Amino acid sequence: QPVRMIGTVQDITERKQAEAALQRQLRELTLLHAVAIHAATAGNEDALISQVTDLIGQTFCPDNFGFLLLDEKAGVLRPHASYRGSEETPIEFIRLGEGVTGRVAMDGKARRIADVRKKKKYIKVSPEARSELCVPLRIGGHITGVINAESRQVDAFSAEEERLLVTLGGQVATAIERLRAQVAER
């Protein structure tokens, strides 16, 4: 028959949060490294965008993700063939200034929308989409397209993920600029 019981309780919340932050940073660095390798070795712009779409889509945003490139003559954004998640209602084009992606392409400012259903001018591509993150592709101060990510979860994207996507957009834009310069030189 026990007479007494002695125990201790230790709060490990901080340690768990630190471990989760380290795991997130490791995923980010791994993704940045993989994109840098593809950016350095891609033979053409289409291959680069397809490879990066697969990489980012697999690790960052599996629901609806891709690149929309600017068609300056028509004044619209057109999705790259590798765009993921818009099979139900494929996007043909988005006019500059329309929807989240069109506004990002117009003013060059990244946007993170917690709940797209609360936005009046949101262009519904996927009926399940609840949140969106869109960043510009900028080459030499000129917007050439956007990277768009949508999720089925409300408030799915954090400030850290926005920062990551902006960084990835910079990497891809630099690689596209290099590839275009090589084509022009040839």
Side-chain angles (χ1 to χ4, degrees):
Q1 296 287 36
V3 177
R4 288 185 199 158
M5 194 180 307
I6 300 174
T8 62
V9 175
Q10 184 177 7
D11 186 3
I12 60 169
T13 304
E14 284 184 30
R15 184 174 58 168
K16 290 293 185 182
Q17 289 172 341
E19 287 174 8
L22 283 173
Q23 288 298 320
R24 189 192 80 248
Q25 288 175 338
L26 178 61
R27 280 192 314 274
E28 287 179 6
L29 289 172
T30 302
L31 181 59
L32 285 166
H33 181 259
V35 169
I37 288 172
H38 286 295
T41 60
N44 62 59
E45 191 174 325
D46 281 334
L48 169 67
I49 292 173
S50 293
Q51 291 167 342
V52 172
T53 298
D54 285 344
L55 280 170
I56 297 173
Q58 290 168 7
T59 58
F60 178 71
C61 184
D63 294 342
N64 188 350
F65 176 80
F67 288 79
L68 293 113
L69 303 175
L70 181 62
D71 178 344
E72 289 188 65
K73 290 179 184 175
V76 298
L77 292 167
R78 297 191 190 280
H80 188 267
S82 62
Y83 201 98
R84 303 167 67 132
S86 62
E87 293 84 17
E88 301 158 3
T89 52
I91 309 166
E92 192 173 320
F93 64 86
I94 296 174
R95 288 184 176 80
L96 289 178
E98 289 185 358
V100 175
T101 54
R103 287 194 309 273
V104 169
M106 190 99 163
D107 64 19
K109 295 178 184 171
R111 285 187 172 74
R112 184 168 29 107
I113 312 297
D115 190 351
V116 295
R117 293 181 183 176
K118 293 181 180 178
K119 291 287 181 186
K120 290 180 184 177
K121 295 185 178 182
Y122 173 71
I123 298 171
K124 189 184 284 189
V125 175
S126 173
E128 297 91 26
R130 292 301 306 266
S131 59
E132 183 170 10
L133 173 59
C134 187
V135 302
L137 275 178
R138 194 183 316 267
I139 296 177
H142 181 72
I143 305 297
T144 59
V146 299
I147 303 175
N148 191 55
E150 293 179 318
S151 176
R152 293 179 180 125
Q153 296 177 327
V154 175
D155 202 19
F157 303 106
S158 66
E160 290 86 13
E161 289 168 324
E162 181 178 344
R163 178 187 45 77
L164 174 63
L165 204 57
V166 167
T167 303
L168 291 168
Q171 278 185 307
V172 172
T174 300
I176 289 172
E177 183 177 31
R178 178 185 57 80
L179 290 166
R180 288 179 180 176
Q182 288 175 349
V183 168
E185 188 178 305
R186 282 188 213 125

